[in-house]
């Protein structure tokens, strides 16, 4: 499990690393080179972003990312090995039951497997492409179940 969680931490926090593959670039506000269009990054990664809902006596909601074929999803460690119902909802609104596989106490990330094995996995970026001052984009799911995008350095 740790082998899958470590790359996922970089993916969830630094989705903009994937941007050079999109081809749509413009000058960045603080760079000499070019930076990706945030809207293009969000459109590319949003199909791999899911809403995770955990229910037993209370309801908890978080964003997750499909990191590998087979329905493997990384999310925050809001789930634990208890008797809970876990549901993963895609950007298209389709919901699937998921099972808890484990969590990493160091990164506070949990690994789930959705029952739909055909969910689109996010392409892995390279953490070696990051340096201080690199623009990042974080894509999640808003409470209204739409894309929530933020960017920063």
């Amino acid at each position: 499990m740790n082998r899958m969680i470590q790359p996922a931490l970089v993916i969830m926090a630094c989705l903009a690393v994937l941007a050079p593959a999109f081809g749509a670039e413009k000058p960045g506000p603080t760079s000499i080179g070019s930076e990706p269009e945030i809207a293009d990054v969000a459109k590319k990664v949003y199909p791999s972003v899911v809403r995770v809902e955990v229910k037993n006596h209370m309801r908890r909601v978080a964003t997750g990312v499909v990191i590998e074929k087979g329905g493997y999803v990384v999310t925050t460690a809001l789930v634990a090995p208890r008797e809970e119902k876990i549901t993963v909802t895609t950007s298209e609104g389709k919901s699937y039951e998921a099972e808890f596989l484990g969590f990493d106490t160091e990164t506070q990330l949990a690994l789930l497997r959705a029952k739909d094995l055909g969910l689109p996995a996010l392409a892995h970026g390279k953490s070696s492409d990051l340096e201080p001052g690199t623009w990042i984009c974080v894509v999640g799911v808003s409470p209204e179940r739409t894309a929530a995008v933020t960017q920063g350095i």
Side-chain angles (χ1 to χ4, degrees):
M1 180 183 78
N2 207 17
R3 184 189 79 198
M4 295 174 74
I5 293 218
Q6 294 301 329
L9 179 62
V10 174
I11 292 168
M12 290 181 73
C14 305
L15 294 175
V17 171
L18 304 171
F22 306 125
E25 299 179 351
K26 69 175 186 176
T30 60
S31 68
I32 297 172
S34 60
E35 294 288 335
E37 290 278 353
I38 296 300
D40 292 334
V41 173
K43 286 177 194 171
K44 183 72 173 179
V45 302
Y46 192 58
S48 299
V49 176
V50 295
R51 180 178 196 259
V52 177
E53 188 170 337
V54 179
K55 291 182 186 177
N56 62 0
H57 299 292
M58 56 189 279
R59 185 181 84 146
R60 293 169 302 222
V61 178
T63 295
V65 177
V66 181
I67 61 163
E68 195 170 290
K69 290 181 181 178
Y72 290 96
V73 174
V74 169
T75 188
T76 62
L78 62 90
V79 296
R82 298 184 293 250
E83 297 296 319
E84 299 177 313
K85 179 182 178 187
I86 304 171
T87 305
V88 171
T89 305
T90 69
S91 59
E92 297 173 341
K94 296 178 183 174
S95 293
Y96 302 96
E97 191 175 317
E99 65 178 307
F100 173 82
L101 297 179
F103 67 92
D104 181 63
T105 56
E106 186 176 326
T107 61
Q108 293 296 302
L109 294 174
L111 182 64
L112 311 173
R113 182 170 45 220
K115 298 297 181 178
D116 178 18
L117 305 180
L119 294 174
L122 186 66
H124 291 245
K126 296 181 201 172
S127 61
S128 61
D129 291 345
L130 295 175
E131 59 186 45
T134 300
W135 283 89
I136 64 163
C137 171
V138 178
V139 179
V141 181
S142 75
E144 294 80 27
R145 298 181 186 209
T146 60
V149 181
T150 190
Q151 67 181 31
I153 297 177

